[in-house]
Amino acid sequence: MNLNQLSIIGFVGKNAETKYLPNGTPVTKFSVATKKSWKDENDEWKEKTQWHNVVAFGKGFAQLADRLVKGAHVFVQGELTTREYDRLIKVPTAKGKSIEHTIQQLVVELKADTIRILDRSNFKGEQSDAAEPPAEGDE
């Protein structure tokens, strides 16, 4: 048996953006910050922020995107995924020119199955505060 499931509660880092795949599927992307606090050996509080890239496929998530704004408190659950792509970079030389070089870029993302907005202050009664992918055959 295998399980790949990640659940986070944190704050949206910047407004969500929705783009469309060639087949018309909406893809919504945003980042979420989580914080960890602890006392160090000197009994002083320390804090670390971890950023998570979230990607969500489907109409339900696209409809939620206008509420996934910077500072919104959210619960996100899904699968941790990685992908690689070739990235072109320019490396400066001593003579003021640059050389183009291709590197492999690794991307780590949380592929969302569930997104819930935990804020209630901005709730608009006509909009849902949660999105999940449609059940088989619902689209």
Side-chain angles (χ1 to χ4, degrees), residues 73-121:
H73 196 209
V74 294
F75 166 82
V76 183
Q77 187 171 50
E79 176 183 0
L80 185 64
T81 62
T82 60
R83 62 184 169 86
E84 292 180 341
Y85 68 93
D86 289 338
R87 179 175 157 202
L88 185 65
I89 62 170
K90 294 184 179 184
V91 181
T93 66
K95 296 181 181 180
K97 296 185 179 185
S98 61
I99 299 171
E100 290 186 347
H101 185 68
T102 302
I103 62 169
Q104 275 216 317
Q105 183 75 45
L106 175 67
V107 179
V108 179
E109 296 171 318
L110 169 51
K111 181 181 171 196
D113 294 328
T114 302
I115 299 173
R116 296 197 192 293
I117 297 177
L118 303 176
D119 293 333
R120 294 294 177 190
S121 59

Short mmCIF file of all heavy atoms in Angstrom, two decimals, residues 73-121:
data_model
loop_
_atom_site.label_atom_id
_atom_site.label_comp_id
_atom_site.label_asym_id
_atom_site.label_seq_id
_atom_site.Cartn_x
_atom_site.Cartn_y
_atom_site.Cartn_z
N HIS A 73 -6.59 32.81 4.54
CA HIS A 73 -6.24 31.64 5.35
C HIS A 73 -6.88 30.43 4.69
O HIS A 73 -8.10 30.41 4.48
CB HIS A 73 -6.78 31.84 6.77
CG HIS A 73 -6.19 30.94 7.78
ND1 HIS A 73 -6.87 30.54 8.90
CD2 HIS A 73 -4.97 30.35 7.89
CE1 HIS A 73 -6.12 29.75 9.64
NE2 HIS A 73 -4.95 29.62 9.04
N VAL A 74 -6.08 29.41 4.32
CA VAL A 74 -6.59 28.28 3.56
C VAL A 74 -6.11 26.94 4.10
O VAL A 74 -5.06 26.84 4.73
CB VAL A 74 -6.18 28.37 2.06
CG1 VAL A 74 -6.83 29.56 1.39
CG2 VAL A 74 -4.67 28.41 1.90
N PHE A 75 -6.93 25.93 3.84
CA PHE A 75 -6.59 24.53 4.04
C PHE A 75 -6.47 23.92 2.66
O PHE A 75 -7.37 24.09 1.82
CB PHE A 75 -7.69 23.82 4.83
CG PHE A 75 -7.59 22.31 4.79
CD1 PHE A 75 -6.73 21.63 5.64
CD2 PHE A 75 -8.36 21.57 3.90
CE1 PHE A 75 -6.64 20.24 5.60
CE2 PHE A 75 -8.28 20.19 3.87
CZ PHE A 75 -7.42 19.52 4.71
N VAL A 76 -5.34 23.26 2.37
CA VAL A 76 -5.14 22.61 1.08
C VAL A 76 -4.69 21.18 1.34
O VAL A 76 -3.82 20.94 2.17
CB VAL A 76 -4.08 23.34 0.22
CG1 VAL A 76 -3.94 22.68 -1.15
CG2 VAL A 76 -4.41 24.82 0.06
N GLN A 77 -5.30 20.26 0.61
CA GLN A 77 -4.92 18.86 0.73
C GLN A 77 -4.76 18.28 -0.67
O GLN A 77 -5.52 18.62 -1.58
CB GLN A 77 -6.01 18.09 1.48
CG GLN A 77 -5.64 16.66 1.81
CD GLN A 77 -6.67 16.04 2.73
OE1 GLN A 77 -7.87 16.10 2.47
NE2 GLN A 77 -6.21 15.47 3.82
N GLY A 78 -3.76 17.42 -0.83
CA GLY A 78 -3.54 16.79 -2.12
C GLY A 78 -2.27 15.98 -2.13
O GLY A 78 -1.76 15.56 -1.10
N GLU A 79 -1.75 15.80 -3.33
CA GLU A 79 -0.59 14.95 -3.58
C GLU A 79 0.66 15.80 -3.79
O GLU A 79 0.63 16.80 -4.51
CB GLU A 79 -0.88 14.12 -4.83
CG GLU A 79 0.25 13.24 -5.28
CD GLU A 79 -0.09 12.50 -6.58
OE1 GLU A 79 -1.19 12.66 -7.11
OE2 GLU A 79 0.79 11.77 -7.05
N LEU A 80 1.77 15.41 -3.18
CA LEU A 80 3.04 16.07 -3.42
C LEU A 80 3.60 15.56 -4.74
O LEU A 80 3.74 14.35 -4.94
CB LEU A 80 4.02 15.77 -2.28
CG LEU A 80 5.35 16.52 -2.35
CD1 LEU A 80 5.14 18.02 -2.21
CD2 LEU A 80 6.29 16.02 -1.27
N THR A 81 3.87 16.47 -5.67
CA THR A 81 4.37 16.07 -6.98
C THR A 81 5.66 16.82 -7.31
O THR A 81 5.93 17.89 -6.76
CB THR A 81 3.34 16.38 -8.10
OG1 THR A 81 3.11 17.80 -8.15
CG2 THR A 81 2.02 15.67 -7.86
N THR A 82 6.45 16.23 -8.18
CA THR A 82 7.65 16.89 -8.70
C THR A 82 7.64 16.77 -10.21
O THR A 82 7.07 15.83 -10.77
CB THR A 82 8.94 16.25 -8.16
OG1 THR A 82 8.98 14.88 -8.54
CG2 THR A 82 9.03 16.37 -6.65
N ARG A 83 8.25 17.73 -10.86
CA ARG A 83 8.43 17.68 -12.31
C ARG A 83 9.70 18.45 -12.64
O ARG A 83 10.16 19.28 -11.86
CB ARG A 83 7.23 18.22 -13.06
CG ARG A 83 6.92 19.67 -12.79
CD ARG A 83 5.63 20.13 -13.49
NE ARG A 83 5.22 21.43 -13.01
CZ ARG A 83 5.65 22.59 -13.48
NH1 ARG A 83 6.52 22.61 -14.49
NH2 ARG A 83 5.23 23.73 -12.99
N GLU A 84 10.26 18.13 -13.79
CA GLU A 84 11.46 18.82 -14.26
C GLU A 84 11.21 19.42 -15.63
O GLU A 84 10.40 18.91 -16.39
CB GLU A 84 12.64 17.84 -14.35
CG GLU A 84 13.11 17.32 -13.01
CD GLU A 84 14.28 16.35 -13.15
OE1 GLU A 84 14.51 15.81 -14.24
OE2 GLU A 84 14.96 16.14 -12.14
N TYR A 85 11.90 20.52 -15.89
CA TYR A 85 11.85 21.11 -17.22
C TYR A 85 13.20 21.76 -17.52
O TYR A 85 13.97 22.05 -16.60
CB TYR A 85 10.69 22.10 -17.36
CG TYR A 85 10.83 23.38 -16.55
CD1 TYR A 85 11.40 24.52 -17.10
CD2 TYR A 85 10.39 23.44 -15.23
CE1 TYR A 85 11.53 25.68 -16.35
CE2 TYR A 85 10.51 24.59 -14.48
CZ TYR A 85 11.07 25.71 -15.05
OH TYR A 85 11.20 26.85 -14.32
N ASP A 86 13.48 21.96 -18.79
CA ASP A 86 14.72 22.62 -19.20
C ASP A 86 14.52 24.13 -19.11
O ASP A 86 13.55 24.68 -19.65
CB ASP A 86 15.09 22.24 -20.63
CG ASP A 86 15.56 20.79 -20.74
OD1 ASP A 86 15.99 20.23 -19.71
OD2 ASP A 86 15.50 20.22 -21.84
N ARG A 87 15.44 24.80 -18.43
CA ARG A 87 15.38 26.25 -18.25
C ARG A 87 16.62 26.87 -18.87
O ARG A 87 17.74 26.44 -18.60
CB ARG A 87 15.31 26.56 -16.76
CG ARG A 87 15.25 28.02 -16.46
CD ARG A 87 15.05 28.24 -14.96
NE ARG A 87 15.53 29.54 -14.60
CZ ARG A 87 15.90 29.89 -13.39
NH1 ARG A 87 15.84 29.04 -12.41
NH2 ARG A 87 16.32 31.11 -13.15
N LEU A 88 16.40 27.87 -19.68
CA LEU A 88 17.50 28.57 -20.34
C LEU A 88 17.95 29.74 -19.46
O LEU A 88 17.14 30.58 -19.07
CB LEU A 88 17.05 29.10 -21.71
CG LEU A 88 18.13 29.76 -22.57
CD1 LEU A 88 19.19 28.73 -22.96
CD2 LEU A 88 17.51 30.36 -23.81
N ILE A 89 19.24 29.76 -19.10
CA ILE A 89 19.77 30.86 -18.31
C ILE A 89 20.92 31.51 -19.07
O ILE A 89 21.51 30.91 -19.97
CB ILE A 89 20.27 30.40 -16.92
CG1 ILE A 89 21.41 29.38 -17.06
CG2 ILE A 89 19.13 29.83 -16.09
CD1 ILE A 89 22.11 29.06 -15.74
N LYS A 90 21.22 32.76 -18.71
CA LYS A 90 22.35 33.48 -19.30
C LYS A 90 23.41 33.67 -18.24
O LYS A 90 23.14 34.23 -17.18
CB LYS A 90 21.90 34.81 -19.88
CG LYS A 90 20.96 34.64 -21.06
CD LYS A 90 20.59 35.96 -21.68
CE LYS A 90 19.69 35.72 -22.88
NZ LYS A 90 19.37 36.96 -23.56
N VAL A 91 24.61 33.18 -18.52
CA VAL A 91 25.73 33.28 -17.58
C VAL A 91 26.66 34.38 -18.06
O VAL A 91 27.18 34.31 -19.18
CB VAL A 91 26.48 31.92 -17.49
CG1 VAL A 91 27.63 32.02 -16.51
CG2 VAL A 91 25.53 30.80 -17.13
N PRO A 92 26.88 35.42 -17.25
CA PRO A 92 27.76 36.51 -17.67
C PRO A 92 29.22 36.06 -17.77
O PRO A 92 29.67 35.22 -16.99
CB PRO A 92 27.59 37.58 -16.59
CG PRO A 92 26.90 36.92 -15.45
CD PRO A 92 26.29 35.65 -15.94
N THR A 93 29.94 36.60 -18.74
CA THR A 93 31.36 36.31 -18.89
C THR A 93 32.17 37.53 -18.46
O THR A 93 31.62 38.62 -18.26
CB THR A 93 31.70 35.96 -20.36
OG1 THR A 93 31.49 37.13 -21.16
CG2 THR A 93 30.87 34.81 -20.86
N ALA A 94 33.46 37.36 -18.35
CA ALA A 94 34.34 38.45 -17.92
C ALA A 94 34.37 39.59 -18.94
O ALA A 94 34.67 40.71 -18.59
CB ALA A 94 35.75 37.92 -17.70
N LYS A 95 34.06 39.31 -20.20
CA LYS A 95 34.12 40.33 -21.24
C LYS A 95 32.80 41.09 -21.40
O LYS A 95 32.60 41.79 -22.38
CB LYS A 95 34.50 39.69 -22.57
CG LYS A 95 35.89 39.08 -22.54
CD LYS A 95 36.25 38.48 -23.87
CE LYS A 95 37.64 37.86 -23.81
NZ LYS A 95 38.04 37.27 -25.07
N GLY A 96 31.88 40.95 -20.42
CA GLY A 96 30.63 41.69 -20.47
C GLY A 96 29.56 41.04 -21.34
O GLY A 96 28.48 41.62 -21.51
N LYS A 97 29.85 39.92 -21.90
CA LYS A 97 28.85 39.22 -22.70
C LYS A 97 28.24 38.13 -21.83
O LYS A 97 28.56 37.99 -20.66
CB LYS A 97 29.48 38.62 -23.95
CG LYS A 97 30.02 39.68 -24.91
CD LYS A 97 30.51 39.05 -26.17
CE LYS A 97 31.01 40.14 -27.11
NZ LYS A 97 31.39 39.60 -28.40
N SER A 98 27.36 37.35 -22.41
CA SER A 98 26.79 36.25 -21.65
C SER A 98 26.68 35.02 -22.55
O SER A 98 26.58 35.12 -23.77
CB SER A 98 25.42 36.61 -21.08
OG SER A 98 24.52 36.92 -22.11
N ILE A 99 26.72 33.87 -21.90
CA ILE A 99 26.60 32.59 -22.60
C ILE A 99 25.28 31.97 -22.16
O ILE A 99 24.97 31.93 -20.97
CB ILE A 99 27.76 31.64 -22.21
CG1 ILE A 99 29.10 32.24 -22.60
CG2 ILE A 99 27.57 30.27 -22.82
CD1 ILE A 99 30.29 31.46 -22.05
N GLU A 100 24.51 31.50 -23.13
CA GLU A 100 23.26 30.82 -22.80
C GLU A 100 23.56 29.38 -22.42
O GLU A 100 24.37 28.71 -23.06
CB GLU A 100 22.28 30.88 -23.97
CG GLU A 100 21.74 32.28 -24.20
CD GLU A 100 20.66 32.30 -25.27
OE1 GLU A 100 20.49 31.31 -25.99
OE2 GLU A 100 19.99 33.34 -25.37
N HIS A 101 22.91 28.94 -21.36
CA HIS A 101 23.13 27.59 -20.86
C HIS A 101 21.78 27.02 -20.42
O HIS A 101 20.97 27.71 -19.82
CB HIS A 101 24.10 27.65 -19.66
CG HIS A 101 24.49 26.32 -19.13
ND1 HIS A 101 25.26 25.43 -19.82
CD2 HIS A 101 24.21 25.73 -17.94
CE1 HIS A 101 25.44 24.34 -19.08
NE2 HIS A 101 24.81 24.50 -17.94
N THR A 102 21.54 25.75 -20.72
CA THR A 102 20.30 25.10 -20.32
C THR A 102 20.55 24.25 -19.08
O THR A 102 21.49 23.46 -19.04
CB THR A 102 19.76 24.21 -21.46
OG1 THR A 102 19.55 25.03 -22.62
CG2 THR A 102 18.45 23.55 -21.08
N ILE A 103 19.70 24.44 -18.08
CA ILE A 103 19.78 23.65 -16.86
C ILE A 103 18.45 22.93 -16.64
O ILE A 103 17.42 23.38 -17.15
CB ILE A 103 20.13 24.50 -15.63
CG1 ILE A 103 19.05 25.55 -15.36
CG2 ILE A 103 21.49 25.15 -15.77
CD1 ILE A 103 19.18 26.25 -14.03
N GLN A 104 18.48 21.85 -15.89
CA GLN A 104 17.24 21.17 -15.52
C GLN A 104 16.72 21.81 -14.25
O GLN A 104 17.44 21.90 -13.25
CB GLN A 104 17.46 19.69 -15.33
CG GLN A 104 17.39 18.91 -16.62
CD GLN A 104 16.74 17.54 -16.38
OE1 GLN A 104 17.04 16.88 -15.41
NE2 GLN A 104 15.89 17.15 -17.28
N GLN A 105 15.49 22.28 -14.29
CA GLN A 105 14.86 22.93 -13.15
C GLN A 105 13.88 21.94 -12.51
O GLN A 105 13.06 21.34 -13.21
CB GLN A 105 14.09 24.17 -13.61
CG GLN A 105 13.46 24.95 -12.49
CD GLN A 105 14.47 25.74 -11.69
OE1 GLN A 105 15.34 26.39 -12.25
NE2 GLN A 105 14.36 25.69 -10.37
N LEU A 106 13.96 21.76 -11.19
CA LEU A 106 13.06 20.89 -10.46
C LEU A 106 11.96 21.73 -9.82
O LEU A 106 12.24 22.76 -9.21
CB LEU A 106 13.81 20.13 -9.36
CG LEU A 106 12.96 19.27 -8.44
CD1 LEU A 106 12.36 18.09 -9.21
CD2 LEU A 106 13.79 18.76 -7.27
N VAL A 107 10.71 21.32 -9.99
CA VAL A 107 9.57 22.00 -9.39
C VAL A 107 8.87 21.02 -8.45
O VAL A 107 8.57 19.89 -8.83
CB VAL A 107 8.58 22.47 -10.48
CG1 VAL A 107 7.38 23.17 -9.86
CG2 VAL A 107 9.27 23.38 -11.48
N VAL A 108 8.63 21.46 -7.22
CA VAL A 108 7.90 20.66 -6.24
C VAL A 108 6.58 21.37 -6.00
O VAL A 108 6.55 22.57 -5.69
CB VAL A 108 8.69 20.53 -4.92
CG1 VAL A 108 7.90 19.73 -3.90
CG2 VAL A 108 10.06 19.90 -5.17
N GLU A 109 5.46 20.65 -6.16
CA GLU A 109 4.14 21.26 -6.04
C GLU A 109 3.21 20.38 -5.23
O GLU A 109 3.37 19.16 -5.18
CB GLU A 109 3.51 21.46 -7.43
CG GLU A 109 4.27 22.44 -8.30
CD GLU A 109 3.76 22.47 -9.74
OE1 GLU A 109 3.49 21.39 -10.30
OE2 GLU A 109 3.67 23.57 -10.28
N LEU A 110 2.21 21.01 -4.64
CA LEU A 110 1.11 20.31 -4.02
C LEU A 110 -0.03 20.33 -5.03
O LEU A 110 -0.59 21.38 -5.33
CB LEU A 110 0.71 21.00 -2.72
CG LEU A 110 -0.60 20.58 -2.04
CD1 LEU A 110 -0.69 19.08 -1.86
CD2 LEU A 110 -0.74 21.29 -0.71
N LYS A 111 -0.35 19.16 -5.61
CA LYS A 111 -1.46 19.05 -6.56
C LYS A 111 -2.72 18.88 -5.73
O LYS A 111 -2.97 17.84 -5.14
CB LYS A 111 -1.25 17.86 -7.50
CG LYS A 111 -2.34 17.71 -8.52
CD LYS A 111 -2.10 16.51 -9.39
CE LYS A 111 -3.31 16.24 -10.26
NZ LYS A 111 -3.27 14.89 -10.82
N ALA A 112 -3.53 19.94 -5.67
CA ALA A 112 -4.66 19.99 -4.75
C ALA A 112 -5.82 19.10 -5.18
O ALA A 112 -6.19 19.06 -6.35
CB ALA A 112 -5.14 21.43 -4.63
N ASP A 113 -6.36 18.40 -4.19
CA ASP A 113 -7.62 17.68 -4.34
C ASP A 113 -8.73 18.45 -3.64
O ASP A 113 -9.88 18.37 -4.02
CB ASP A 113 -7.54 16.29 -3.71
CG ASP A 113 -6.57 15.37 -4.44
OD1 ASP A 113 -6.44 15.51 -5.66
OD2 ASP A 113 -5.95 14.52 -3.78
N THR A 114 -8.35 19.17 -2.58
CA THR A 114 -9.31 19.93 -1.78
C THR A 114 -8.69 21.27 -1.41
O THR A 114 -7.53 21.33 -1.00
CB THR A 114 -9.65 19.18 -0.47
OG1 THR A 114 -10.18 17.90 -0.80
CG2 THR A 114 -10.66 19.94 0.37
N ILE A 115 -9.47 22.34 -1.55
CA ILE A 115 -9.07 23.67 -1.09
C ILE A 115 -10.24 24.24 -0.32
O ILE A 115 -11.36 24.29 -0.84
CB ILE A 115 -8.71 24.62 -2.26
CG1 ILE A 115 -7.54 24.06 -3.07
CG2 ILE A 115 -8.39 26.02 -1.72
CD1 ILE A 115 -7.25 24.85 -4.34
N ARG A 116 -9.99 24.65 0.91
CA ARG A 116 -11.03 25.30 1.72
C ARG A 116 -10.50 26.64 2.20
O ARG A 116 -9.40 26.71 2.75
CB ARG A 116 -11.39 24.44 2.93
CG ARG A 116 -12.01 23.11 2.57
CD ARG A 116 -12.73 22.50 3.76
NE ARG A 116 -13.10 21.12 3.55
CZ ARG A 116 -13.99 20.66 2.68
NH1 ARG A 116 -14.58 21.49 1.88
NH2 ARG A 116 -14.28 19.38 2.58
N ILE A 117 -11.30 27.67 2.02
CA ILE A 117 -10.94 28.99 2.53
C ILE A 117 -11.46 29.07 3.95
O ILE A 117 -12.64 28.85 4.20
CB ILE A 117 -11.52 30.10 1.63
CG1 ILE A 117 -10.89 29.97 0.24
CG2 ILE A 117 -11.25 31.47 2.25
CD1 ILE A 117 -11.40 30.95 -0.78
N LEU A 118 -10.56 29.35 4.89
CA LEU A 118 -10.90 29.34 6.30
C LEU A 118 -11.37 30.71 6.79
O LEU A 118 -12.01 30.80 7.83
CB LEU A 118 -9.71 28.85 7.14
CG LEU A 118 -9.21 27.46 6.76
CD1 LEU A 118 -7.97 27.11 7.57
CD2 LEU A 118 -10.28 26.41 6.92
N ASP A 119 -11.06 31.78 6.06
CA ASP A 119 -11.51 33.12 6.42
C ASP A 119 -13.03 33.19 6.31
O ASP A 119 -13.60 32.70 5.35
CB ASP A 119 -10.94 34.18 5.47
CG ASP A 119 -9.44 34.34 5.59
OD1 ASP A 119 -8.92 34.06 6.67
OD2 ASP A 119 -8.81 34.73 4.60
N ARG A 120 -13.64 33.82 7.24
CA ARG A 120 -15.09 34.05 7.16
C ARG A 120 -15.41 35.52 6.97
O ARG A 120 -16.50 35.88 6.60
CB ARG A 120 -15.80 33.54 8.42
CG ARG A 120 -15.71 32.04 8.55
CD ARG A 120 -16.48 31.40 7.45
NE ARG A 120 -16.35 29.94 7.55
CZ ARG A 120 -16.75 29.12 6.62
NH1 ARG A 120 -17.29 29.58 5.52
NH2 ARG A 120 -16.59 27.84 6.74
N SER A 121 -14.44 36.41 7.20
CA SER A 121 -14.70 37.84 7.14
C SER A 121 -15.06 38.32 5.73
O SER A 121 -15.82 39.24 5.56
CB SER A 121 -13.48 38.62 7.64
OG SER A 121 -12.35 38.31 6.86
#
